[in-house]
Amino acid sequence: MKKLLADKISLLKGDITKVKCDAIVNAANSSLLGGGGVDGAIHRQAGPELLEDCRRVRNAQGGCPTGKAVITVAGKLPAKYVIHTVGPVWRGGASGEESLLRDCYLNSLSLASENGLETVAFPNISTGIYGYPKDKACAVAVSAVNEFLASDTIVKEVVFVCFDDENFRLYQDFIGN
Ligand code: AR6
């Protein structure tokens, strides 16, 4: 793992379900009841306790709107919590996608900070099934996280976990390493 940007941002190639940190972020859908991609992997590895806690949140607030975030237990995962956020579906770029994707990163980190969580790992939200162009998503993700870390005093480290080669290369290039 390489330390980047003011020692607070790291890049990792691999599976986010294996990452041991205070919170991993899930690229969920607004039902919060699981799905494919990273969401499916997280639910599979975490086991029923995660789904049960997602149902509790869903019953309390009726799911999670795009751009917002909620926090649950992490079941059998090595992480302590899962923060679920819902990325935008790419519809060509003129439907508020950039601002919604930015909100995913900012709202997830705010929730981490409010809960006293110091280390947070993100997948590349919206860049799979939701079709957001990977280069554009990378720029939004890095800029949102940088902006947040510049003013927050709780979150100490953010890890971008890239599962596919294309995302990993883009993050390496974008961050300059
Ligand atoms: N660890 C880290 N990243 C992963 C993993 C993993 N184990 N598996 C896939 N990725 P996606 P989205 C990467 O499709 O585009 C679900 O059905 C993958 O390479 O998981 O936000 C939800 O329920 C890609 O770069 O999420 C929603 O319905 C990134 O995760 C919908 O998909 C995001 O791809 C959300 O779509």
Side-chain angles (χ1 to χ4, degrees):
M1 193 190 296
K2 226 174 214 178
K3 292 276 188 183
L4 304 162
L5 292 186
D7 250 19
K8 283 189 167 182
I9 294 181
S10 312
L11 187 55
L12 182 64
K13 171 103 168 60
D15 178 353
I16 201 166
T17 67
K18 308 277 188 263
V19 176
K20 190 174 176 186
C21 60
D22 290 338
I24 62 165
V25 176
N26 181 17
N29 61 62
S30 53
S31 80
L32 297 175
L33 298 179
V38 69
D39 194 8
I42 287 173
H43 275 274
R44 263 193 310 280
Q45 295 300 318
E49 212 188 320
L50 176 61
L51 184 58
E52 194 183 309
D53 210 25
C54 285
R55 285 193 201 281
R56 178 191 59 78
V57 173
R58 187 181 148 89
N59 290 338
Q61 66 171 63
C64 181
T66 304
K68 300 286 193 284
V70 304
I71 187 166
T72 67
V73 298
K76 291 186 281 186
L77 292 169
K80 292 186 191 145
Y81 295 91
V82 178
I83 292 173
H84 307 258
T85 189
V86 181
V89 175
W90 180 257
R91 296 196 165 86
S95 304
E97 292 93 332
E98 181 176 337
S99 138
L100 288 166
L101 186 60
R102 193 173 182 76
D103 286 350
C104 287
Y105 287 92
L106 296 177
N107 286 326
S108 296
L109 287 169
S110 295
L111 203 48
S113 181
E114 284 160 28
N115 284 278
L117 306 180
E118 298 186 351
T119 54
V120 181
F122 280 97
N124 308 130
I125 299 163
S126 280
T127 67
I129 293 162
Y130 282 178
Y132 206 111
K134 291 177 180 174
D135 54 344
K136 289 187 170 61
C138 170
V140 173
V142 175
S143 114
V145 167
N146 258 328
E147 179 191 311
F148 184 88
L149 291 175
S151 60
D152 181 76
T153 55
I154 306 293
V155 179
K156 303 275 185 292
E157 185 178 6
V158 170
V159 186
F160 288 112
V161 183
C162 300
F163 191 66
D164 58 89
D165 294 338
E166 188 186 349
N167 264 315
F168 186 62
R169 272 197 301 273
L170 280 165
Y171 275 79
Q172 279 182 315
D173 289 351
F174 195 85
I175 295 169
N177 276 264

